[in-house]
Amino acid sequence: MNIKNNCLVIILILSRLICSAQEKRGANITWTTYEAENMKTTGTVMGPKYDPYHVETESSGQKCVKLSDNEQYIEFTSAGNDNSMVIRYSLPDSREGTGTSSALAIYKNGRPIQHYKISSRYAWLYGKYPFTNNPAAGKPRHFYDELRVTGLKIAKGDVIRIQPYRQKGDDAEYCIIDLVDLENIAPQLKVPSNSLTVTDKAFRGNDTTDDYTQAIRNCIAKAKETGKSVWIPAGTFKITGDIILPANITVQGAGMWYTQLVGDEKLYANVNKRVRLKGNGSNIHISDFAIIGKLNYRSDKEANDGIVGSYGTNSAISGIWIEHTKVGMWIENSINLKITDCRMRNTMADGINFCVGMAGSTIENCTARGTGDDCFAIWPTTFLKQVFSPGHNLIVHCTATLPYLANGIAIYGGEDNKVESCSLVDISQGSGILISTTFPTENQDKSINNNFSGKTVIEDCDIKTSGGFDHEWDWRAALEICTDRRSISGIEINNLNITNSLSNGMSVIAKNVNDKIGLLSDATLQNINISKSGIGVKGRYSLFINSGAHGSLIIKKSDIRDIKNESETFTITK
């Protein structure tokens, strides 16, 4: 074969690989997940269960393993070469609702690696939304937390054993394991050229504490003045106040596994003493660090911590890990913002929410697990002044799993928003994807109306074991269209696979509160495959239309086997 033909073959192979990568649904997962119930164990396999308020329901695949004493274990063989581990675990709460403590021991090929302290202080909520920490309220949720471990050396074929290491003073009576993630993380990044380092004495002064709040502020101010970037090296940096991000600033860490901005547990009850990075301008670039909050309750009267604010035009957020904050990211008034390669874990509310005035912005290759509200949401509300007309936003190649309230992806209005190539798995407290008018999108004098317009597109997505019981609402469908109070026009749902729905596979519903009736129109389903609906609750369907729904739906080239239409004012056309 000549050189020209060789080049042609190489081009064809590369083209196929690129196409294959582009067709993948969900985020590019760089870790391998090992389910506890599939491991060798001397513990008790629990589940499956699908009703609310059970730890099994909040577990991956609705199964988990309970280890009741120091002698019980889970054990599995590594399928690759890895250097980090995440263990998703649940400890019981205390009677007072303040959590219990224990430890986990990790063994490799029969030899101990280390033991690690764990706690349920940042888990367990009770009662009605927005919940309480008091166990007397009943209706428990948010059972799980996660342990991150780095610096390991695990080779393919190594046998990993995990078991409780409860010692004197530890008060957890058991430990439940849901899953273990193994990952081969890249080495820490090196300091970039033309940057200022927050640990330099010029920014620390004579401060010898571990609080780096003012040092980072000083470094940002100097970087803004000199046109340089801000570098946060590997390490743990206590943050006890807002970090304001002005226009034209770049803040970079050594990697989400190496640079950690951590809250102070003793101060975290003060809303002004939390880890909060607040955008306040355009052309802001932040990347490659973790935010570890210390929040263990939800109050929607309090400001969000995590990453918040406005990022103006042409900003970027990438490679950020966020946990134990109220939200991961709550973003407003930004256009052409790119959020990529971020991980939201165990927040008290949303993972990432595009809120007021979000336009032409993208959430790509991000994952969310264990969030306390929608994993990813677009909500064009108006409680702040709207700078940009909201719409044309994209959620693409993202993976949402295991929120303990609400949905995997939710769209509450706006123009021409799109969800593409996403994976929604184990959404046991709501819908995998929700399209809804439940929340307000108008200002008080109704001069601004951000209800659905143009085309809202959902395509090339997979939804598995989703559609659970939403808090004091009802069983949600794996994909649900909700026209409460307002109409929705212009929906295209294409190339969707829905499997093992806990309730209905798809539904169109409306409750028509206060005689406000919504209408669904110009809505099309094409190439939709729905199998095994109602595995968690009996009497459910592949497609369900409730009696309050009004409007119409067109179905093309789809495998939707059982349809139940209870509405006399809703038409389905095949």
Side-chain angles (χ1 to χ4, degrees), residues 489-507:
S489 179
I491 294 180
E492 292 184 1
I493 302 176
N494 307 315
N495 306 324
L496 209 69
N497 296 320
I498 300 176
T499 57
N500 292 335
S501 301
L502 307 188
S503 180
N504 295 307
M506 294 184 64
S507 66

Side-chain angles (χ1 to χ4, degrees), residues 11-24 397:
I11 291 170
L12 287 172
I13 292 171
L14 289 174
S15 297
R16 288 171 183 167
L17 289 173
I18 291 169
C19 288
S20 176
Q22 291 174 339
E23 290 169 0
K24 182 182 182 297
H397 286 299

Side-chain angles (χ1 to χ4, degrees), residues 242-246 275-282 284 286 291 303-313 315-317 322 327-335 337 339 352-359 361 383-385 387-388:
D242 288 359
I243 303 297
I244 306 299
L245 302 170
V275 186
R276 181 167 32 245
L277 275 63
K278 188 172 184 179
N280 189 33
S282 298
I284 298 169
I286 58 176
I291 293 175
N304 297 316
D305 51 330
I307 294 177
V308 302
S310 169
Y311 289 79
T313 59
S315 293
I317 302 171
I322 304 178
V327 298
M329 304 183 195
W330 187 278
I331 312 295
E332 303 144 355
N333 288 322
S334 307
I335 189 168
L337 169 68
I339 300 178
I352 301 176
N353 192 310
F354 278 178
C355 199
V356 178
M358 293 300 298
S361 294
F383 60 80
L384 295 175
K385 182 179 179 181
V387 176
F388 305 108

Side-chain angles (χ1 to χ4, degrees), residues 200-383:
D200 284 356
K201 186 172 177 57
F203 309 119
R204 288 282 284 161
N206 295 320
D207 188 354
T208 58
T209 70
D210 58 353
D211 191 331
Y212 271 80
T213 308
Q214 193 56 48
I216 293 176
R217 290 171 178 167
N218 294 340
C219 191
I220 288 174
K222 191 65 175 180
K224 175 76 173 174
E225 177 188 330
T226 59
K228 295 184 177 182
S229 66
V230 173
W231 169 250
I232 310 177
T236 299
F237 302 89
K238 184 188 291 185
I239 305 297
T240 58
D242 288 359
I243 303 297
I244 306 299
L245 302 170
N248 304 311
I249 198 73
T250 296
V251 179
Q252 183 179 6
M256 65 168 63
W257 290 88
Y258 302 106
T259 299
Q260 297 187 104
L261 307 184
V262 178
D264 187 327
E265 186 177 37
K266 296 178 181 178
L267 302 176
Y268 226 76
N270 184 334
V271 70
N272 297 313
K273 296 290 185 179
R274 296 176 181 170
V275 186
R276 181 167 32 245
L277 275 63
K278 188 172 184 179
N280 189 33
S282 298
N283 193 33
I284 298 169
H285 297 263
I286 58 176
S287 65
D288 302 307
F289 55 84
I291 293 175
I292 311 296
K294 300 293 181 179
L295 193 64
N296 65 349
Y297 68 92
R298 177 168 179 172
S299 173
D300 288 346
K301 296 178 181 179
E302 297 180 350
N304 297 316
D305 51 330
I307 294 177
V308 302
S310 169
Y311 289 79
T313 59
N314 302 325
S315 293
I317 302 171
S318 64
I320 308 291
W321 177 300
I322 304 178
E323 66 178 52
H324 297 157
T325 53
K326 182 180 172 187
V327 298
M329 304 183 195
W330 187 278
I331 312 295
E332 303 144 355
N333 288 322
S334 307
I335 189 168
N336 197 33
L337 169 68
K338 308 294 184 186
I339 300 178
T340 57
D341 306 321
C342 295
R343 306 184 196 182
M344 308 297 111
R345 298 288 188 271
N346 306 307
T347 57
M348 302 306 295
D350 301 60
I352 301 176
N353 192 310
F354 278 178
C355 199
V356 178
M358 293 300 298
S361 294
T362 301
I363 305 170
E364 182 173 4
N365 200 44
C366 293
T367 63
R369 184 166 71 197
T371 61
D373 217 308
D374 297 326
C375 294
F376 304 102
I378 298 173
W379 179 30
T381 189
T382 57
F383 60 80

Side-chain angles (χ1 to χ4, degrees), residues 29-34 76 79-80 82 86 179-184:
I29 303 299
T30 55
W31 58 91
T32 302
T33 296
Y34 301 82
F76 64 98
D82 299 294
V86 173
L179 55 83
V180 177
D181 294 333
L182 293 185
E183 182 175 2
N184 188 25

